[in-house]
């Protein structure tokens, strides 16, 4: 098998829909049945079925398409359903989610089913709560996490999922509620068939419940009758079964009493029935105006609105979320909530203006053609196909192309254009606005030390090194940062070359020592090597008084390089053992059986801590350091792996949290670069190929194998975005990000060349490594 081999995806064969089903009387049952039938009609070869939720104490004569029934209050039914779907080799599950149809607190029982499924789940969210109760939010977020894709029926749903729940944009699809594909029909013929000939008809249909606002239209009827004395308001639909179960027909009876009190019994008709599709379409066709008077905005989806719009009815509605989008730009008339006078004026205006009413009807019918069930089914099928696990060889081809960055086989070429643009005569700028250097934030020794470290790394590679002038400026910045009075490096400098502090953080001091150690060992200039060694020796003693584990780790990495260059320096050797022991003490103090870490929380640049112990142990022959580093790195990399096997760095929103699983965002290049280095150090320590795969997985994060499927780098310029937010990439491309990407890229390219892999070999090998978790049993390290 070669890197260019592609195997076509097998045809989608089986789809199961989980939700309510007819003859159960509710909107979810109707929708689930309609979408199942539409998908089946669109692809006759496709085997479709329904897993029906049955509410407590009820039985239904389900059709043959219902293959599995789940009693909503029986947890064992959910487990049995999952096992049955797995045994049937279902390709995709389409879950219809609505609050109240699954058993347990906040519908938690459905999680047991989802956790056992072996196929992807595409979840249609019929409601998205803006202010969920804590338990509702926890269950809802678990459902989101278990779903490969999410479907909402309005753009408002997309915005809420991104803004409230942090769902990435690529995971969300907006697909309109389906509608029957019926011809446009004027109302006269349908009125005659149904016994309303010659009368203006206003219609509302659906299961009755207090939030529907029927009473508001009833209160508007006297005003409507002033302009249309023979008008009739038809309220079609049974009372919602849950309402009947809990309260009986109290709500319907209150509406009837309201009609009587207004003396309009001849102008309001209640049809207490749950009708079939043919009867429903007939009643919609006979109405002149359709009204949805819902009482508040929190209505994401209305099937009744979609059906009436699709049959070309003139619509008056309150501005709940679905209506506000569907009826925008002249698709209907929107009126304020709970305002009988506004509804009366709007309905009267349409009933007395035939030309306007017809224009509104034709506009609605024309706009709705993309919403027919046949078109909706095509959208869902495309989504099902995209959600399926790709065939391994097809994935290999796609990811290899991404990882190569060009038509060859190696990782992207090392390009220095953006790094050069981020530098001036002083050094490397901290930040950028998009790709433009941001002078407002000046410079820092952190980033210039990283630049010097990159320059040293490239000296040992076959890639071109940094320009001499650039390396010299990084070194000059580090020299200028040294404050002999405090025996510390200053960190932040303004654009005007004014130091903003007398001494920087412990971490920035350690990072600068790391860069100096590498420069002392690798720099091409003997003079600069001597300079780096001398400054390293001056700055090293201060570290003994530090407390930061990251400062210890960075210094240890610098000592590893320095001691290679100066193996007989007793001060350096003693400091190396002292700092390694301090890391070991931190690990021993904080670690528990389920928390193998040096601190009570995770922060930034995490992988550098185990990396420092691994390289120190390898250099000194003290295996306890190596084993401690490997153990903590295994634990960290497990936390930095998403459920789908992608590298997911510890999110910055986790910083400061104590002994809790890391947040997914914001993700930063610094973590990926650290993971690459640490995993390659682990690979050298125990020759386990899984470490190499982990390094490649971390590098693939830069190229788009991440939670948002967004590449962070421009391989042509070498620029790197500053990270990933929950819904987008951070488009700024600052100094830290570009250097971290280039350091990671350099290490990956050196690894490939060290193993003599030709381009095609590297591409195939690399992506097979990406696929390994799915193709092979997970070994014990």
């Amino acid at each position: 098998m070669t890197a260019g081999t592609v195997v076509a995806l097998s045809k989608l064969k089986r789809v199961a829909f989980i939700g309510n089903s007819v003859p159960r009387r509710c909107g979810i049952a109707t929708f689930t049945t309609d979408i199942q039938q539409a998908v089946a009609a669109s692809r006759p070869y496709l085997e479709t079925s329904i897993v029906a939720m049955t509410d407590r104490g009820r039985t239904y004569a389900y059709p043959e398409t219902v293959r599995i029934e789940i009693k909503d209050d029986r947890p064992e039914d959910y487990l049995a359903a999952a096992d049955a779907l797995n045994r049937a080799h279902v390709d995709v599950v389409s879950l219809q989610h609505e609050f109240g149809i699954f058993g347990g607190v906040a519908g938690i029982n459905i999680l047991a089913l989802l956790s056992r499924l072996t196929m992807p789940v595409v979840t249609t969210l019929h409601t998205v709560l803006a202010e969920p109760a804590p338990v509702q939010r926890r269950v809802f977020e678990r459902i989101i996490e278990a779903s490969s894709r999410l479907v909402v029926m309005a753009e408002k749903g997309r915005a809420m999922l991104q803004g409230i729940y942090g769902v990435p944009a690529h995971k969300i699809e907006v697909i309109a509620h389906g509608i029957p594909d019926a011809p446009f029909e004027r109302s006269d013929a349908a009125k005659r068939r149904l016994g309303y000939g010659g009368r203006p008809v206003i219609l509302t249909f659906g299961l009755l419940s207090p939030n529907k606002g029927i009473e508001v239209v009833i209160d508007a009827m006297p005003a409507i009758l002033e302009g249309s004395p023979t008008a009739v308001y038809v309220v079609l639909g049974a009372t919602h079964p849950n309402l009947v179960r809990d309260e009986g027909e109290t709500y319907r009876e209150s509406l009837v009493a309201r009609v009587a009190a207004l003396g309009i019994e001849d102008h309001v008709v209640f049809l207490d029935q749950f009708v079939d599709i043919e009867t429903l379409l007939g009643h919609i066709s006979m109405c002149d105006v359709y009204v949805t008077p819902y009482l508040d905005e929190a209505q994401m989806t209305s099937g009744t609105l979609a059906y009436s719009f699709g049959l070309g009815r003139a619509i008056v509605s309150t501005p709940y979320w679905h209506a506000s989008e569907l009826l925008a730009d002249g698709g209907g008339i929107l009126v304020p909530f709970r305002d009988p006078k506004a509804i009366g004026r709007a309905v009267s205006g349409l009933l007395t203006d035939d030309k306007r009413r017809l224009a509104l009807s034709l506009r609605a019918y024309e706009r709705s053609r993309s919403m027919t069930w046949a078109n909706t089914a095509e959208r869902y099928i495309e989504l099902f196909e995209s959600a399926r696990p790709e065939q391994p060889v097809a994935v290999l081809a796609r990811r290899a192309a991404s990882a190569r960055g060009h038509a060859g086989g190696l990782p992207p070429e090392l390009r220095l254009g953006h790094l050069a643009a981020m530098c001036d005569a002083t050094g490397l700028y901290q930040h950028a606005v998009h790709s433009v250097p941001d002078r407002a934030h000046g410079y820092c020794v952190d980033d210039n030390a990283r630049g010097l470290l990159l320059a040293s790394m490239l000296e040992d590679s076959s890639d071109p090194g940094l320009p001499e002038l650039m390396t010299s400026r990084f070194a000059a910045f580090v020299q200028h940062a040294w404050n002999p009075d405090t025996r510390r490096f200053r960190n932040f400098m303004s654009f005007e070359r004014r130091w903003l502090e007398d001494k920087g953080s412990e971490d920035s001091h350690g990072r600068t020592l790391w860069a100096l150690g590498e420069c002392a060992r690798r720099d091409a200039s003997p003079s600069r090597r001597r300079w780096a060694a001398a400054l390293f020796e001056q700055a090293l003693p201060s570290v003994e008084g530090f407390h930061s584990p990251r400062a210890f780790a960075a210094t240890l990495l610098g000592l590893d390089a320095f001691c290679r260059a100066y193996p007989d320096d007793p001060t350096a050797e003693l400091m190396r053992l002292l700092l390694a022991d301090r890391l070991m003490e931190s690990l021993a103090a904080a670690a528990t059986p389920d928390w193998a870490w040096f601190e009570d929380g995770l922060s930034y640049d995490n992988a550098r801590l185990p990396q420092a112990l691994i390289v120190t142990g390898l250099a000194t022959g003290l295996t306890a350091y190596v084993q401690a580093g490997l153990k903590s790195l295994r634990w960290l990399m497990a936390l930095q792996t998403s459920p789908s096997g992608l590298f997911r760095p510890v999110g910055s929103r986790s910083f400061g949290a104590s002994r809790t699983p890391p947040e997914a965002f914001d993700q930063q290049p610094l973590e990926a670069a650290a993971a690459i280095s640490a995993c390659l150090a682990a690979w050298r320590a125990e020759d386990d190929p899984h470490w190499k795969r982990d390094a490649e997985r971390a590098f693939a994060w830069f190229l788009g194998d991440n939670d948002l499927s967004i590449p962070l780098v421009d391989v042509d310029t070498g620029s790197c975005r500053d990270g990933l937010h929950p819904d987008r990439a951070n488009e700024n491309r600052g100094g830290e990000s570009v250097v971290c990407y280039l350091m990671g890229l350099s290490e990956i390219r050196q690894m490939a060349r060290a193993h003599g892999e030709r381009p095609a070999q590297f591409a195939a090998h690399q992506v097979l490594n990406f696929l390994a978790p799915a193709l092979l049993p997970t070994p014990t390290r």
Side-chain angles (χ1 to χ4, degrees):
M1 180 177 66
T2 64
T5 305
V6 179
V7 174
L9 274 172
S10 61
K11 185 183 293 184
L12 188 69
K13 296 178 181 178
R14 299 176 186 88
V15 177
F17 297 83
I18 301 177
N20 300 345
S21 173
V22 296
R24 183 171 176 176
R25 296 182 173 184
C26 71
I28 300 298
T30 302
F31 182 92
T32 305
T33 303
D34 285 343
I35 187 61
Q36 177 267 323
Q37 292 178 348
V39 169
S42 178
R43 298 290 190 278
Y45 61 80
L46 191 60
E47 181 182 328
T48 63
S49 61
I50 293 176
V51 178
M53 302 301 306
T54 298
D55 45 338
R56 186 177 67 257
R58 301 298 297 269
T59 59
Y60 301 100
Y62 287 123
E64 290 183 359
T65 49
V66 174
R67 306 288 175 80
I68 302 172
E69 180 181 358
I70 297 176
K71 299 285 188 180
D72 65 6
D73 59 345
R74 288 172 52 88
E76 60 270 29
D77 282 8
Y78 293 85
L79 301 179
D83 292 342
L85 292 169
N86 292 336
R87 287 195 305 272
H89 302 293
V90 169
D91 295 311
V92 176
V93 161
S94 174
L95 175 69
Q96 307 306 311
H97 179 269
E98 180 60 282
F99 293 92
I101 71 172
F102 304 116
V105 178
I108 197 171
N109 287 356
I110 192 63
L111 297 180
L113 183 154
L114 296 177
S115 69
R116 294 171 75 97
L117 293 179
T118 58
M119 72 292 295
V121 177
V122 174
T123 298
T124 301
L125 301 172
H126 292 261
T127 297
V128 180
L129 296 179
E131 298 180 356
V135 66
Q136 288 178 317
R137 185 180 186 113
R138 287 196 296 272
V139 173
F140 195 63
E141 288 177 338
R142 291 279 301 280
I143 292 170
I144 289 171
E145 183 177 351
S147 304
S148 297
R149 299 287 192 280
L150 301 170
V151 177
V152 288
M153 301 184 205
E155 287 294 338
K156 178 67 175 182
R158 187 205 300 270
M160 292 174 68
L161 286 175
Q162 292 181 261
I164 298 172
Y165 298 94
V167 180
H170 78 276
K171 193 171 183 175
I172 308 168
E173 194 75 18
V174 178
I175 303 178
H177 193 297
I179 59 172
D181 191 4
F184 181 80
E185 182 180 2
R186 289 176 180 263
S187 61
D188 295 341
K191 287 181 190 177
R192 289 193 296 271
R193 290 195 299 270
L194 294 171
Y196 296 92
R199 300 186 71 179
V201 177
I202 308 153
L203 175 69
T204 296
F205 79 87
L207 295 174
L208 260 64
S209 59
N211 66 317
K212 297 296 178 67
I214 305 300
E215 62 274 14
V216 182
V217 184
I218 291 173
D219 290 346
M221 282 303 294
I224 294 170
L225 293 172
E226 289 180 9
S228 302
T230 61
V232 59
Y233 178 38
V234 178
V235 182
L236 173 62
T239 307
H240 198 290
N242 292 347
L243 190 63
V244 173
R245 182 188 63 206
D246 298 337
E247 301 179 15
E249 290 288 1
T250 304
Y251 177 61
R252 181 181 294 275
E253 291 166 359
S254 73
L255 295 178
V256 173
R258 199 179 200 105
V259 169
L262 291 171
I264 54 174
E265 296 95 327
D266 294 338
H267 299 279
V268 179
V269 176
F270 293 97
L271 299 178
D272 183 5
Q273 53 188 295
F274 191 87
V275 297
D276 59 27
I277 187 65
E278 184 177 350
T279 304
L280 174 60
L281 297 183
H283 278 80
I284 297 174
S285 296
M286 73 147 183
C287 81
D288 297 293
V289 177
Y290 183 76
V291 182
T292 53
Y294 296 164
L295 298 181
D296 62 68
E297 66 176 0
Q299 180 82 18
M300 191 65 64
T301 306
S302 170
T304 66
L305 176 69
Y307 272 39
S308 301
F309 190 75
L311 266 69
R313 298 301 95 183
I315 297 174
V316 173
S317 177
T318 51
Y320 55 92
W321 292 328
H322 190 193
S324 293
E325 291 186 22
L326 191 64
L327 305 182
D329 300 322
I333 297 176
L334 296 174
V335 296
F337 294 107
R338 304 171 187 265
D339 191 338
K341 291 182 179 179
I343 286 182
R345 287 192 299 270
V347 172
S348 292
L350 290 174
L351 291 180
T352 57
D353 190 339
D354 294 346
K355 184 176 180 181
R356 182 186 178 206
R357 188 175 70 252
L358 178 60
L360 202 61
S361 298
L362 291 172
R363 189 179 303 131
Y365 186 79
E366 180 182 355
R367 289 185 181 181
S368 66
R369 292 311 84 203
S370 64
M371 297 165 55
T372 62
W373 278 118
N375 288 324
T376 299
E378 289 296 329
R379 294 284 307 280
Y380 269 92
I381 291 169
E382 290 176 7
L383 199 58
F384 295 157
E385 291 281 11
S386 70
R388 294 177 63 207
E390 296 171 277
Q391 296 295 323
V393 181
V395 176
L396 185 151
R398 176 178 63 81
R399 291 192 175 176
S402 170
R404 290 194 304 271
H406 59 89
L410 288 170
E413 294 293 328
L414 197 139
R415 308 287 189 187
L416 303 176
H418 184 66
L419 178 63
M422 286 294 295
C423 296
D424 66 1
T426 301
L428 176 61
Y429 288 108
Q430 278 194 83
H431 298 298
V433 180
H434 289 261
S435 59
V436 178
D438 182 5
R439 295 177 173 178
H441 292 92
Y443 320 84
C444 65
V445 78
D446 269 328
D447 293 340
N448 282 272
R450 289 189 183 100
L452 183 60
L453 183 59
L454 173 64
S456 300
M457 290 174 62
L458 292 178
E459 293 293 344
D460 279 356
S461 79
S462 57
D463 287 312
L466 296 190
E468 168 58 26
L469 184 59
M470 186 182 293
T471 303
S472 177
R473 285 171 175 167
F474 293 152
F477 192 98
V478 168
Q479 175 61 52
H480 191 37
W482 173 245
N483 186 342
D485 296 333
T486 63
R487 312 300 290 176
R488 292 280 291 275
F489 291 102
R490 292 168 284 219
N491 193 10
F492 296 109
M493 173 190 278
S494 71
F495 177 67
E496 296 78 19
R497 296 189 179 184
R498 179 171 50 86
W499 288 110
L500 304 179
E501 57 194 356
D502 290 332
K503 64 180 179 180
S505 66
E506 293 181 3
D507 290 2
S508 66
H509 190 98
R511 192 169 295 110
T512 308
L513 282 170
W514 179 15
L516 288 168
E518 291 290 355
C519 183
R521 175 192 171 202
R522 304 197 208 195
D523 198 279
S525 165
S527 175
R528 196 156 50 227
R529 290 201 301 270
R530 290 190 293 272
W531 159 81
L535 186 53
F536 184 94
E537 290 175 328
Q538 290 182 68
L540 181 62
S542 297
V543 180
E544 188 171 355
F546 287 0
H547 301 282
S548 167
R550 279 163 189 76
F552 299 157
T555 304
L556 281 169
L557 294 173
L559 280 163
D560 182 66
F562 182 86
C563 291
R564 290 171 187 265
Y566 298 91
D568 299 323
D569 187 312
T571 302
E573 288 291 350
L574 287 173
M575 184 65 79
R576 177 152 67 172
L577 295 176
L578 172 67
L579 298 182
D581 284 344
R582 286 188 181 178
L583 280 183
M584 294 289 283
E585 291 165 3
S586 296
L587 184 61
T592 64
D594 59 355
W595 187 264
W597 198 242
F598 304 80
E599 304 163 293
D600 287 338
L602 292 161
S603 185
Y604 77 103
D605 224 5
N606 293 292
R608 299 299 182 188
L609 278 67
Q611 179 190 354
L613 282 180
I614 292 168
V615 300
T616 301
L618 291 175
T620 61
L622 297 173
T623 58
Y625 295 159
V626 176
Q627 293 307 313
L630 292 172
K631 182 178 180 180
S632 56
L633 184 59
R634 285 192 195 99
W635 180 83
L636 176 65
M637 290 305 292
L639 285 182
Q640 295 192 130
T641 301
S642 74
S644 59
L646 300 174
F647 177 71
R648 176 187 284 171
V650 171
S652 61
R653 297 181 186 183
S654 306
F655 298 177
S658 179
R659 295 182 183 268
T660 58
E663 296 286 340
F665 295 95
D666 292 347
Q667 300 178 17
Q668 299 176 332
L670 186 70
E671 305 306 319
I676 292 167
S677 296
C679 289
L680 292 179
W683 181 41
R684 289 189 289 271
E686 61 176 6
D687 198 28
D688 184 335
H690 281 80
W691 291 119
K692 181 170 175 285
R693 285 196 284 268
D694 278 349
E696 290 168 336
R697 192 162 51 85
F699 179 70
W701 177 86
F702 286 107
L703 301 173
D705 274 5
N706 53 52
D707 284 319
L708 302 190
S709 298
I710 296 176
L712 281 91
V713 299
D714 180 340
V715 296
D716 293 327
T717 66
S719 69
C720 179
R721 294 172 174 85
D722 282 348
L724 292 177
H725 299 302
D727 60 339
R728 67 191 189 283
N730 183 334
E731 290 297 333
N732 299 329
R733 304 169 190 228
E736 177 183 294
S737 301
V738 63
V739 175
C740 285
Y741 163 61
L742 293 174
M743 288 169 61
L745 174 59
S746 174
E747 290 196 89
I748 289 293
R749 287 176 64 83
Q750 288 183 61
M751 177 197 71
R753 288 197 171 95
H755 284 72
E757 291 170 331
R758 293 188 300 274
Q761 289 176 322
F762 178 82
H765 178 63
Q766 179 184 33
V767 183
L768 283 174
N769 287 343
F770 287 137
L771 296 170
L775 299 177
L776 302 172
T778 303
T780 302
R781 288 182 181 155

